[in-house]
Amino acid sequence: MKNIVLVGFMGTGKTTIAKVLARGLGKKYVNTDDLIESREKKNINDIFKDDGETYFRKVEKEVIKEASRQADQVIDAGGGVVLDPENMENLRMTGTVICLWADPDTICERTKKYKHRPLLNVEDPKKRITELLDHRRPFYEKADFHVDTSTRDIGSIVEEIKRIVDRKGNS
Ligand code: S3P
């Protein structure tokens, strides 16, 4: 069975939805940030701080390539994977790519209590979120399917994704 790949901005609900989806469908849950952290033996904040974003993106690209070789997974992809067209090509080869969306206020609310995202550890996270979203919008738009998570409950989002995948015939 093909992979289901969730992309989308930070705080759009990828991790929550991917875990429920994987459990419900009996697929393996894979998180690209976890793969990067275990490979580098340090957390994302420290990788950004010590090695820089360019290095992080290089490792991210490698783990995406490897994860794309396996099947029957729900891949919870880091918010920036869409920026590299090769990542999208690799993910698409073995998976259906679904982008989760949320409005900037919702993203701000959902992310403000966490400190593990270096790009949002800034004085004015709302401004940063708006700028990054504006820049990345065309990249996220390249996904095969789109689901807005701003105002909906987890159950209905998961059901919608299952319907998308069923319609597409995910084998
Ligand atoms: C990033 C998103 C993060 C993580 C890193 C960079 C981004 O993942 O990969 O902090 O560039 O949007 P989540 O989207 O899972 O928070």
Side-chain angles (χ1 to χ4, degrees), residues 8-12 14-15 31-33 36 44 48 53 56-57 60 76-81 83 116-119 132 136 140:
F9 200 79
M10 298 168 270
T12 52
K14 293 174 301 230
T15 300
N31 175 298
T32 59
D33 282 348
I36 295 167
I44 304 293
F48 268 70
E53 181 171 349
F56 171 82
R57 297 296 173 202
E60 181 172 64
D76 170 9
V81 306
L83 298 169
H116 65 281
R117 295 182 174 101
L119 296 177
L132 280 174
R136 291 181 177 184
Y140 291 128

Side-chain angles (χ1 to χ4, degrees), residues 58-77:
K58 180 174 153 285
V59 181
E60 181 172 64
K61 188 167 181 162
E62 287 164 11
V63 304
I64 295 273
K65 208 169 183 177
E66 280 165 27
S68 300
R69 291 203 191 104
Q70 316 290 320
D72 217 17
Q73 316 166 101
V74 178
I75 301 179
D76 170 9

Side-chain angles (χ1 to χ4, degrees), residues 14-119:
K14 293 174 301 230
T15 300
T16 306
I17 302 295
K19 283 182 176 168
V20 177
L21 204 53
R23 211 176 310 125
L25 295 172
K27 288 180 183 284
K28 184 179 175 197
Y29 168 80
V30 174
N31 175 298
T32 59
D33 282 348
D34 291 348
L35 295 175
I36 295 167
E37 288 184 340
S38 60
R39 198 169 158 145
E40 293 299 303
K41 298 185 181 56
K42 53 173 125 164
N43 67 39
I44 304 293
N45 270 324
D46 285 342
I47 300 172
F48 268 70
K49 183 161 56 70
D50 300 344
D51 312 299
E53 181 171 349
T54 305
Y55 179 79
F56 171 82
R57 297 296 173 202
K58 180 174 153 285
V59 181
E60 181 172 64
K61 188 167 181 162
E62 287 164 11
V63 304
I64 295 273
K65 208 169 183 177
E66 280 165 27
S68 300
R69 291 203 191 104
Q70 316 290 320
D72 217 17
Q73 316 166 101
V74 178
I75 301 179
D76 170 9
V81 306
V82 296
L83 298 169
D84 186 326
E86 272 181 57
N87 287 341
M88 291 297 266
E89 240 170 72
N90 282 326
L91 291 167
R92 255 209 197 97
M93 216 130 59
T94 49
T96 302
V97 181
I98 301 171
C99 184
L100 302 189
W101 292 83
D103 58 73
D105 285 331
T106 304
I107 290 172
C108 204
E109 268 312 299
R110 287 180 186 164
T111 54
K112 72 180 182 198
K113 45 190 179 296
Y114 302 106
K115 286 280 160 263
H116 65 281
R117 295 182 174 101
L119 296 177

